[in-house]
Amino acid sequence: MDRPRRPVPWAVAVVYGAVLAGGVYWSLVGEGLDHPGRLAGFVLVLALLFGVELVEWRTPVHPGVLLAARIGLFAAAASLDGSGTSRALFVLVPFVAYFAFGRATSVALAAACLAFIVTGFSLSTPDWYRDAEYVSDLLMFTIGLVLAVCMAAVASAEREARGRLESTLDRVAELSAAMERNRVARDIHDSLGHHLTAIAIQLEKATAFADRDPALAERAIADARASARDALADVRRSVRALREERPPFSLRDALTGLAGDGGEPAVTVTVTGEPDRYDTAALTALYRAAQEGLTNARRHAKASVVTVSAAFDEAGARLVVADDGRGFATPGEGFGLLGMRERVELVGGAVSVDSGPGAGTVITVTIPPAPAWSAA
């Protein structure tokens, strides 16, 4: 039987130690010297109580059994302790019960302990309520019961709060790991996928023209090698980013690199405005969108011309990737477009795709104005 360990485990041991010290002291300096057997029995009972605590921490015993054992030993200690100090042990009954059975049971047992003490006073001293010492002891015992229940409530609430916090932290860690996996997946698809597509196209071109136009086939192979080098450079940049060695990102240079990577169709790039006012995340989202649009144009559209235009002004950032390819009737939602949407939505933007059979494809990405524009 697995159950959470009781908070503040030292509290019970401290009370046991205080009661033991008080009982032994009374026996040595008071009337207890005349009853050495009671002192030995008292010490034995306290030792058994410490043993119960040890059993609880090392052996899975039902809490009801342990609570019953404690109450019996408390009663035995109170009967052997002439100083009355052992009555303080009953304060632990609602304290321990709170963690095992809950608040209602704890409060009920606190009331039962109070009734038990009152009954004991009534049986031993019928007019006890006329004695200020008895009344004072009863009030102190009542205060002890209230404090015990309150302390247990606070400790229990703290344990529950800590459990919720740990659960929340675990969930945050899971979500962070999932987000990082998605980011890496998008990077692999957008970066390596683009370069591998270019390499495949160039190698197919080289194979097709190997006999008819060896010079063109050689250029295609050279272009494939250049794309492979670009892929390796992209991987290295990603590794540097993971190591937080982030060089400044230039969207102009990145888009120019897309246009001049040697692939087909021909790519025209225009950039207007001030992209540097946007943060790296927004610029990277735009670059990956352009890269994905170009990859799709090369892989599926059979386009002859692709235009990439990026404009930055007070209204926001706008990227348009247009090709004159064969288009499609119903836009597909493959992993590339899904990753593009995820990337753009993370920076507050939106993606739209306009296409039709024989009419080419236009991908439009918009991102809200950067804070630098708002402050200008």
Side-chain angles (χ1 to χ4, degrees):
M1 178 178 55
D2 259 344
R3 55 192 175 87
R5 291 189 170 186
R6 184 178 68 240
V8 288
W10 49 266
V12 173
V14 168
V15 174
Y16 288 168
V19 169
L20 177 61
V24 170
Y25 177 78
W26 179 84
S27 296
L28 294 178
V29 302
E31 301 175 4
L33 289 174
D34 298 332
H35 304 281
R38 293 179 63 178
L39 174 60
F42 174 75
V43 173
L44 176 61
V45 169
L46 267 295
L48 291 175
L49 284 171
F50 279 110
V52 169
E53 299 305 311
L54 188 62
V55 168
E56 180 182 35
W57 286 94
R58 293 195 173 184
T59 308
V61 180
H62 192 279
V65 175
L66 294 172
L67 181 60
R70 287 189 182 96
I71 292 174
L73 291 172
F74 292 169
S79 66
L80 293 171
D81 181 15
S83 68
T85 306
S86 296
R87 288 195 294 268
L89 292 172
F90 287 95
V91 171
L92 296 175
V93 172
F95 178 79
V96 173
Y98 196 106
F99 304 110
F101 305 106
R103 180 174 57 185
T105 301
S106 174
V107 172
L109 287 175
C113 289
L114 187 61
F116 176 76
I117 296 297
V118 171
T119 301
F121 284 172
S122 300
L123 293 176
S124 62
T125 309
D127 295 331
W128 64 270
Y129 51 85
R130 300 179 183 275
D131 190 328
E133 183 176 351
Y134 279 96
V135 174
S136 176
D137 288 347
L138 183 62
L139 289 175
M140 293 301 295
F141 183 74
T142 303
I143 292 173
L145 289 173
V146 172
L147 292 177
V149 173
C150 291
M151 182 178 178
V154 170
S156 180
E158 181 185 4
R159 181 177 64 184
E160 292 175 0
R162 187 181 298 113
R164 288 194 297 270
L165 176 61
E166 291 175 355
S167 177
T168 301
L169 292 175
D170 290 341
R171 181 59 179 159
V172 168
E174 291 175 4
L175 292 175
S176 298
M179 290 179 64
E180 182 64 14
R181 285 195 299 269
N182 290 337
R183 186 191 69 79
V184 172
R186 288 193 298 267
D187 283 347
I188 291 174
H189 178 275
D190 295 345
S191 177
L192 288 181
H194 166 78
H195 292 301
L196 291 176
T197 297
I199 291 171
I201 291 173
Q202 294 301 328
L203 291 179
E204 289 173 1
K205 181 178 178 181
T207 301
F209 288 91
D211 297 328
R212 290 180 290 173
D213 192 341
L216 181 60
E218 284 294 329
R219 284 200 303 273
I221 292 175
D223 289 340
R225 291 196 188 100
S227 294
R229 287 192 294 271
D230 290 341
L232 181 58
D234 222 348
V235 169
R236 287 172 174 167
R237 281 194 295 270
S238 298
V239 171
R240 284 197 298 270
L242 290 174
R243 293 175 177 271
E244 296 185 350
E245 301 170 3
R246 302 177 185 269
F249 180 78
S250 170
L251 182 64
R252 292 180 187 273
D253 294 343
L255 293 180
T256 301
L258 286 180
D261 63 2
E264 293 182 357
V267 181
T268 302
V269 174
T270 59
V271 179
T272 59
E274 301 180 49
D276 293 341
R277 291 199 179 196
Y278 287 76
D279 60 23
T280 302
L283 296 178
T284 301
L286 294 172
Y287 169 69
R288 293 304 188 190
Q291 194 176 49
E292 177 64 19
L294 179 56
T295 298
N296 288 337
R298 286 174 170 170
R299 182 183 298 171
H300 307 296
K302 295 184 178 179
S304 59
V305 175
V306 179
T307 60
V308 179
S309 61
F312 301 85
D313 54 29
E314 292 84 350
R318 179 182 176 87
L319 173 81
V320 178
V321 181
D323 68 64
D324 62 349
R326 58 185 180 182
F328 44 85
T330 304
E333 188 77 8
F335 185 81
L337 184 56
L338 176 62
M340 183 194 303
R341 290 190 188 281
E342 289 177 347
R343 241 184 230 284
V344 173
E345 287 172 0
L346 285 174
V347 294
V351 177
S352 67
V353 180
D354 184 17
S355 184
T361 301
V362 178
I363 298 174
T364 304
V365 180
T366 55
I367 293 178
W373 284 107
S374 302

